[in-house]
Amino acid sequence: MPQPHQTMAAVTPDGVTVKGLDLVDDLIGAVPFTDMVHLEITGHLPAPGARAALDAVLVALTEHGTTATAVAVRLTDLGAPGALQGAVAAGLLGAGDRFLGALDGAARLLQEWPDDAEPDAHARRLAEEARSRRDRLPGLGHPVHTEGDPRTARLFAVADAAGLDPAPRERFLLLQHHAERAANRTLPVNVDGASAVLLTAAGIPWQVCRGIALVARAAGLVGHLWDEHRAPAAQAMLDAADAAAPYRAPEATK
Amino acid sequence: MPQPHQTMAAVTPDGVTVKGLDLVDDLIGAVPFTDMVHLEITGHLPAPGARAALDAVLVALTEHGTTATAVAVRLTDLGAPGALQGAVAAGLLGAGDRFLGALDGAARLLQEWPDDAEPDAHARRLAEEARSRRDRLPGLGHPVHTEGDPRTARLFAVADAAGLDPAPRERFLLLQHHAERAANRTLPVNVDGASAVLLTAAGIPWQVCRGIALVARAAGLVGHLWDEHRAPAAQAMLDAADAAAPYRAPEATK
Amino acid sequence: MPQPHQTMAAVTPDGVTVKGLDLVDDLIGAVPFTDMVHLEITGHLPAPGARAALDAVLVALTEHGTTATAVAVRLTDLGAPGALQGAVAAGLLGAGDRFLGALDGAARLLQEWPDDAEPDAHARRLAEEARSRRDRLPGLGHPVHTEGDPRTARLFAVADAAGLDPAPRERFLLLQHHAERAANRTLPVNVDGASAVLLTAAGIPWQVCRGIALVARAAGLVGHLWDEHRAPAAQAMLDAADAAAPYRAPEATK
Amino acid sequence: MPQPHQTMAAVTPDGVTVKGLDLVDDLIGAVPFTDMVHLEITGHLPAPGARAALDAVLVALTEHGTTATAVAVRLTDLGAPGALQGAVAAGLLGAGDRFLGALDGAARLLQEWPDDAEPDAHARRLAEEARSRRDRLPGLGHPVHTEGDPRTARLFAVADAAGLDPAPRERFLLLQHHAERAANRTLPVNVDGASAVLLTAAGIPWQVCRGIALVARAAGLVGHLWDEHRAPAAQAMLDAADAAAPYRAPEATK
C-alpha cells in the first residue's frame, strides 16, 4: 500500500501549489474558472475542446427552474436564515440518483464500452438487458421535455464546433436507437445523456461526472437563495405543499 | 492550553467506555435512550426529574406536521432515494435560527439571569430592550397556535409533577408579562419557551438545547421519510410549490 | 393512485394530532421519547418488549468514540461555529452504506426470509452467494472488536429478558455459521447484526432501521459537539490529519 | 405584498428561459460558466472587467490543500461511499463564519461605506470599534500566510488589468492601515479581503459573496473526493485525528 498522501495542493507560508502548478503565477488571473474545475479533477489544464465541452455542460446544468433542489434551498433558508452554506448543502443533497444518476450512468456505459465490440450489437445488448430487468437506459427521455430536450442539440453542436471525438455520440445514438426499438416509442436524448457524451469526449471519468453537475447546481442554488432574499416565496411554497397533501389518519394505530 | 483530548468514549477491542461508564454493563439494557442523551451531553445520568423533563421536551419537539423541514426531507428523497442520511441531514439543516433559535435564546436568558437582580425589574428591562431594538423576546407567540400553544401547559404540568425547580418558569412568566405589556397584546408561551424552562430546570446548558431539538427532529424526519416511502407525496408537494410562485422575468437584464 | 396525503400529524390552532393520537393528552409527559420514535415510524406505540429492544439498540448505537462522523462534526464546527444543525448534519452524512448499510442489510435478509424455506439450507445459500460475488454478509466481523463485539451478547440478553421472538436471532446465527464455514474463520456478530435482530423482532421495517441509527447518532454527535465547545480538539485533529497525508505532485500534469 | 414569484427560470416542454435569456440560444455554448454564475446572481451577463474579477476570485478560492472542509469530505466518503452529493454537502457545511464570514463581512463594510464620509476618518472609526469589542476587522491576517497572503497581490493586479473601480481597494487599504495601527502589528490583506474588494468592484452584493465562495469550494471538494477515490487517505487521516485527541474521563460523573 502506498504511503497515504494527497495530490491536490501544498500550502506554505508564501505560496500555494495546486496539482503541480503555482496558484498565483499560473492560475489566478491566468485561467478561467472552468479550467480550474478541470485541473482539480483531471490534474491538468484542459485543451480548448475540453474547455468548451465543460463550459457548455456546466452552463446547461446550472438552472432548471423550480426543481426539488431549488425548493429545498428556499425552505431551508426559511428556517435557518443566514446559514448560506446550510441551504446550499440541503439543496445539493437532493441532487442524487434520480436526477444525476442518469449522468454518471450514461457516462459509465460510454467509458466502459469495449473497443473490440461490434458497436451495434453491443448497443442492442445493453438496451435489451435494461429492458429485461424493467429498467431504462440512462440519459433518454424527459418528463417535461417530452418531444425532445432542447439542450441536447445545442450541446452536440458545441461538441462539433469544438472538434471533439465523435465516437461517444455515435455510440450513444446507437443506444438510443435500440432503446427506442425495444420500447417501441420515442426516447429523446436528454441533457444528462448529452452531457455524458460531452464529458466523456472531454476525458472526464464517469465517477466524477456527478461532481461537475454539483458545481453547476451549487451556482444555481446560490441564485435561487439570493432570489428568495429579494422576493420571498418560501412561505407560499410551504403553504402550497402543505395543502397539497393533507393529513389522513394512519389505518391501524393498534 | 491543555493537551487536546476528548471526553466522550474510549474504544478497545473488548469494550467501550462512555463518559466513564461501561457501555455494555452500565448502559445497554440498563437505561432508556433518554438517559443516554442526557449522559452524552452532561456527562452523567439524569435524576428522575431531569429525565421526565427531557422526555417531555423530546416528545413535544418530535413532530409538528408538514413543516419546512418535513417538506425538505421529502423533496430530497425524491431526488436522492435510498440516501436516508442525506434526506435527514437536509431536513435538519432547516432547523436553524428561525425555528430553534427561540429555544436556545430563551434558555440563555434564563441561564444568564443574574441571581442578585430584582426579578421583576430584570424581566422588564429585557422586555424593553428587545422592544427598543424592534426584536421580540424568544419563546413567546406562535403563528398557528395564536390563542396559546397547547403543548405549554402540558409541559409545565410535567415539570410540576417531576418536582423540578420552579424558578425558571417563574422568571419566564415575568418575561411574558412584561413583553405583553410592552406589546399591548397577548403573547402566549410557546413550545420553545416552555422547553427552555424545562431544560434549564433539568440542567441542560443553553448552548446545547438546540441539539436536544435536533435529536427529536431527527426522529420526526425519519418518520416523514418512511411515510413518504409508503404514500408518496413529494411530487405533489413540488408541483404545488412550483405553481405557488410562478416565474416572472427580472426587471433589469442589462 | 391515491390522493396525495401524509399520515404524520394534523396541526390546528388548539391542538396537534400525531398518528391518530393527541400530542398533548396522549404523548407529552405520558410516554418516553423511545415510544415516540416507535410511533413516528410504525404508527403505534410499542409493546414493552419492542420498547426494550428499541431502547437497547438506540443506546448501543449512540456512541463509539472518535469515529469518522465525530471528527466531521468537530471539523465542521471549526469552520462554521454556531450553526449546530450544520455540524450535526455533516456528521450524519457519513452514516452511510459502509457504517450503517450492514444494519439495514442484515435486517433485510431477516425480514425477507421465506417462511417456507428450510432454514439451514437458506442460510447456506445466502452465505455462498455472498462469497461467490466476493461480498460478505452484513452484520458480521468488526475491524476493532476482532474477537467479538462486546455489545452483541448484551443486546441478545436484552432480547431474551424482553421475551422477543427468538426466530430472527436463530436465523442470523445460522447465517453466521455458514459465513464462518465459507470464510474458514471466525466472524462474530457485530452491533449492526445484533441490532438488526432486535429491530426485526420489534417489528421495525428494514428500510427504516438506518433511520433509528441516525436518531442515535444525532444524540452522539450533539455530545461530541458540546465536548468540542468545552475542550477544543478540532484544530489538533485537523493538523494531525493534514500531516498524515502530505502533498505529492500528481504524476502527469500534461 | 407582491404575488409570490421567482425570477430564475421558466421551463416549458420546448425551452428554458433563464433570467430573461434563452438557455439554448443565448447561453449554452455562447458564454463561459463564469458568466452563468454572474447571471444567476445579478440577473445579467457580466461586463469583461466583472468577468475577470469573478474568474480570479473563483480560481483563488477553489483550493487550499488539506482544509477542515477537505478532510470532512474525505471522512464522509469513507462512511458513505457513492453518495457524492452527501460528501460535497458535508464539506460545504464547514464553509461558514470562521472561514467565509471574513469574505462577506469585508464586502459588507465596503458596500455599506457611506459615500459622504471622510474615508480616513470612517476607516479609523471602524478599526477602533472592532478593537473596542475585542474583534478584528475581516479580511486581514492569516494563520499560515503570516508575512502576507500570496494571492492578494495577484488579485489586485487582476483588478488593475481589468480596469475595475479602484475605490473599494483604496478603502480597504485604509481599513488595513488603521487596523495595523490599532493592533500595532502587521495585518496583511488576506484572500478574503482581496476577494471582497474584487467582488464589490464587480457589483456582487455582499450577502451573496459567500455563495461565490461555495461554488469555488464545491469544485475543490469534488477534486478532493476524486483524489480520495484514486489514492485513499481518509482512514489514515481518521487514525491520526483519533490519536491526536485521546479519551480522558470527564471530571465529574455524578
Side-chain angles (χ1 to χ4, degrees):
Chain A
M1 205 178 80
Q3 179 73 15
H5 64 277
Q6 47 95 0
T7 75
M8 301 308 294
V11 177
T12 60
D14 57 359
V16 180
T17 301
V18 177
K19 291 279 184 189
L21 298 178
D22 189 279
L23 176 60
V24 171
D25 293 339
D26 301 330
L27 299 170
I28 299 175
V31 303
F33 178 53
T34 302
D35 284 25
M36 189 72 179
V37 174
H38 190 278
L39 174 68
E40 285 280 301
I41 292 169
T42 66
H44 57 93
L45 293 171
R51 180 198 289 164
L54 195 49
D55 259 329
V57 169
L58 284 164
V59 168
L61 296 179
T62 297
E63 178 59 67
H64 204 250
T66 303
T67 59
T69 59
V71 177
V73 160
R74 290 177 186 259
L75 292 177
T76 303
D77 182 67
L78 188 67
L84 199 66
Q85 71 280 1
V88 173
L92 292 183
L93 288 170
D97 283 349
R98 184 167 150 194
F99 293 143
L100 295 185
L103 174 59
D104 47 35
R108 182 176 192 174
L109 290 180
L110 294 173
Q111 294 178 25
E112 295 185 342
W113 195 285
D115 278 328
D116 56 354
E118 200 283 305
D120 191 73
H122 184 66
R124 194 175 62 239
R125 187 165 52 245
L126 289 175
E128 286 168 359
E129 281 172 9
R131 184 134 187 101
S132 73
R133 57 173 193 269
R134 292 171 172 281
D135 205 357
R136 63 187 335 183
L137 286 177
L140 299 173
H142 196 283
V144 175
H145 304 302
T146 47
E147 299 300 307
D149 192 317
R151 297 164 288 188
T152 298
R154 183 71 173 146
L155 285 167
F156 285 163
V158 169
D160 286 343
L164 291 181
D165 175 8
R169 183 174 11 153
E170 287 162 8
R171 289 169 173 179
F172 202 72
L173 294 180
L174 282 176
L175 286 176
Q176 179 196 23
H177 170 71
H178 287 290
E180 290 186 328
R181 275 187 62 169
N184 196 27
R185 65 185 184 94
T186 303
L187 286 170
V189 178
N190 62 30
V191 74
D192 291 321
S195 296
V197 165
L198 268 69
L199 294 179
T200 296
I204 305 292
W206 68 265
Q207 297 94 330
V208 80
C209 284
R210 190 183 299 202
I212 302 290
L214 290 174
V215 174
R217 287 304 292 149
L221 295 174
V222 169
H224 280 266
L225 206 43
W226 182 230
D227 192 48
E228 173 69 21
H229 280 219
R230 287 177 302 173
Q235 187 65 52
M237 289 178 172
L238 174 57
D239 293 343
D242 187 4
Y247 174 70
R248 180 186 299 178
E251 287 183 15
T253 57
K254 38 178 174 165
Chain B
M1 205 178 80
Q3 179 73 16
H5 64 278
Q6 48 95 359
T7 76
M8 301 309 293
V11 177
T12 61
D14 57 357
V16 181
T17 301
V18 178
K19 292 281 185 187
L21 298 177
D22 188 280
L23 176 61
V24 170
D25 293 339
D26 300 331
L27 298 170
I28 299 175
V31 302
F33 178 53
T34 301
D35 283 27
M36 189 72 180
V37 175
H38 191 277
L39 174 68
E40 284 279 303
I41 293 169
T42 66
H44 57 93
L45 293 171
R51 178 198 292 165
L54 195 49
D55 259 328
V57 169
L58 284 165
V59 168
L61 296 179
T62 297
E63 179 57 65
H64 205 250
T66 304
T67 58
T69 59
V71 178
V73 160
R74 289 176 187 260
L75 292 176
T76 303
D77 181 67
L78 188 67
L84 199 68
Q85 70 279 1
V88 173
L92 291 183
L93 288 170
D97 282 351
R98 181 164 152 196
F99 293 143
L100 295 185
L103 174 60
D104 47 35
R108 182 176 193 173
L109 290 180
L110 294 173
Q111 294 178 25
E112 294 185 342
W113 196 286
D115 278 329
D116 57 354
E118 200 284 304
D120 191 74
H122 183 66
R124 193 175 64 240
R125 186 164 54 245
L126 289 175
E128 286 168 358
E129 282 173 8
R131 187 139 185 97
S132 73
R133 56 172 194 271
R134 293 171 172 279
D135 205 357
R136 62 187 337 183
L137 286 177
L140 299 173
H142 196 283
V144 175
H145 304 302
T146 48
E147 299 299 307
D149 191 317
R151 297 165 287 188
T152 298
R154 183 70 174 149
L155 286 167
F156 286 162
V158 169
D160 286 343
L164 291 181
D165 175 9
R169 181 175 11 156
E170 287 163 8
R171 289 169 172 179
F172 202 71
L173 295 179
L174 282 177
L175 285 176
Q176 179 196 22
H177 171 70
H178 287 290
E180 289 185 329
R181 275 189 60 171
N184 198 26
R185 65 186 184 93
T186 302
L187 286 171
V189 178
N190 63 31
V191 74
D192 291 320
S195 295
V197 165
L198 267 70
L199 293 179
T200 296
I204 305 293
W206 68 264
Q207 296 94 330
V208 78
C209 284
R210 189 183 297 202
I212 301 290
L214 290 175
V215 175
R217 287 304 292 149
L221 295 174
V222 170
H224 280 266
L225 207 43
W226 181 228
D227 194 46
E228 173 69 21
H229 280 220
R230 286 178 302 174
Q235 188 65 53
M237 290 179 172
L238 173 58
D239 293 342
D242 186 4
Y247 174 70
R248 181 185 298 177
E251 288 181 17
T253 56
K254 40 176 172 167
Chain C
M1 203 176 83
Q3 180 73 17
H5 64 277
Q6 48 94 358
T7 75
M8 301 308 294
V11 177
T12 60
D14 57 358
V16 180
T17 301
V18 177
K19 292 280 185 188
L21 299 177
D22 190 279
L23 176 61
V24 170
D25 293 340
D26 301 331
L27 299 170
I28 299 174
V31 303
F33 178 53
T34 301
D35 284 26
M36 189 73 179
V37 174
H38 190 276
L39 174 68
E40 285 278 303
I41 291 169
T42 66
H44 57 93
L45 293 172
R51 180 199 289 164
L54 195 49
D55 259 328
V57 169
L58 284 164
V59 168
L61 296 179
T62 296
E63 178 60 67
H64 204 250
T66 303
T67 59
T69 59
V71 177
V73 159
R74 290 177 186 260
L75 292 177
T76 303
D77 181 67
L78 188 67
L84 199 67
Q85 71 279 2
V88 172
L92 291 183
L93 288 170
D97 282 350
R98 181 165 151 195
F99 294 143
L100 295 185
L103 174 59
D104 47 34
R108 182 175 192 173
L109 290 180
L110 294 173
Q111 295 178 24
E112 294 185 343
W113 196 285
D115 279 327
D116 56 355
E118 200 284 303
D120 191 74
H122 183 66
R124 194 177 61 240
R125 187 165 52 245
L126 290 174
E128 286 168 359
E129 282 172 8
R131 185 134 187 101
S132 72
R133 57 173 192 270
R134 292 172 173 281
D135 204 357
R136 63 189 334 184
L137 287 177
L140 299 173
H142 196 284
V144 176
H145 304 301
T146 46
E147 299 298 307
D149 192 317
R151 298 164 288 189
T152 297
R154 183 68 173 150
L155 286 167
F156 285 163
V158 169
D160 286 342
L164 291 181
D165 176 10
R169 183 177 8 157
E170 288 162 8
R171 290 170 171 178
F172 201 73
L173 293 180
L174 283 176
L175 285 176
Q176 180 197 22
H177 171 71
H178 287 291
E180 290 186 328
R181 274 188 61 169
N184 197 26
R185 66 185 183 95
T186 303
L187 286 171
V189 178
N190 63 30
V191 74
D192 291 320
S195 296
V197 165
L198 268 69
L199 293 179
T200 296
I204 305 294
W206 68 264
Q207 297 93 331
V208 78
C209 284
R210 191 183 297 201
I212 301 290
L214 290 174
V215 174
R217 286 305 292 148
L221 296 174
V222 170
H224 279 266
L225 207 42
W226 181 228
D227 193 48
E228 173 70 22
H229 280 219
R230 287 177 302 174
Q235 187 66 52
M237 288 178 173
L238 173 58
D239 293 343
D242 187 4
Y247 173 71
R248 180 186 300 178
E251 288 184 14
T253 56
K254 37 176 172 168
Chain D
M1 204 177 82
Q3 181 73 16
H5 64 278
Q6 48 95 359
T7 75
M8 301 309 294
V11 177
T12 61
D14 57 357
V16 181
T17 301
V18 177
K19 292 279 185 188
L21 298 177
D22 189 279
L23 176 60
V24 171
D25 293 339
D26 301 331
L27 299 170
I28 298 175
V31 303
F33 178 53
T34 302
D35 283 26
M36 190 72 180
V37 174
H38 190 277
L39 174 69
E40 284 280 302
I41 292 168
T42 66
H44 58 93
L45 293 171
R51 178 198 291 166
L54 195 50
D55 259 329
V57 169
L58 284 165
V59 168
L61 296 179
T62 297
E63 179 57 65
H64 205 250
T66 303
T67 58
T69 60
V71 178
V73 160
R74 290 176 186 260
L75 292 177
T76 303
D77 181 67
L78 188 67
L84 200 68
Q85 70 279 1
V88 172
L92 292 183
L93 288 169
D97 283 350
R98 181 164 153 197
F99 293 142
L100 295 184
L103 174 59
D104 48 33
R108 183 177 192 173
L109 290 179
L110 294 173
Q111 294 178 25
E112 294 186 342
W113 197 285
D115 279 328
D116 56 354
E118 200 283 304
D120 191 74
H122 183 67
R124 194 175 62 241
R125 186 163 55 245
L126 289 175
E128 286 168 358
E129 282 173 8
R131 185 138 187 98
S132 74
R133 55 172 194 270
R134 293 171 171 281
D135 205 358
R136 61 185 338 180
L137 286 177
L140 299 173
H142 195 283
V144 175
H145 305 300
T146 47
E147 300 299 308
D149 191 318
R151 298 164 287 189
T152 298
R154 182 72 174 146
L155 286 167
F156 286 163
V158 169
D160 286 343
L164 291 181
D165 175 11
R169 183 179 6 161
E170 288 163 8
R171 289 169 172 181
F172 202 73
L173 294 179
L174 282 177
L175 285 176
Q176 179 197 20
H177 171 71
H178 286 291
E180 290 186 327
R181 276 188 59 171
N184 197 26
R185 65 187 184 94
T186 302
L187 286 170
V189 177
N190 63 30
V191 74
D192 292 319
S195 296
V197 165
L198 267 70
L199 293 179
T200 296
I204 305 293
W206 68 264
Q207 296 94 330
V208 78
C209 284
R210 189 183 298 201
I212 301 290
L214 290 174
V215 174
R217 287 304 292 149
L221 295 174
V222 169
H224 280 266
L225 207 43
W226 181 229
D227 193 48
E228 173 69 22
H229 280 219
R230 287 177 302 174
Q235 187 66 52
M237 290 178 171
L238 173 58
D239 293 343
D242 187 4
Y247 173 71
R248 180 186 299 178
E251 289 183 13
T253 56
K254 40 177 172 167

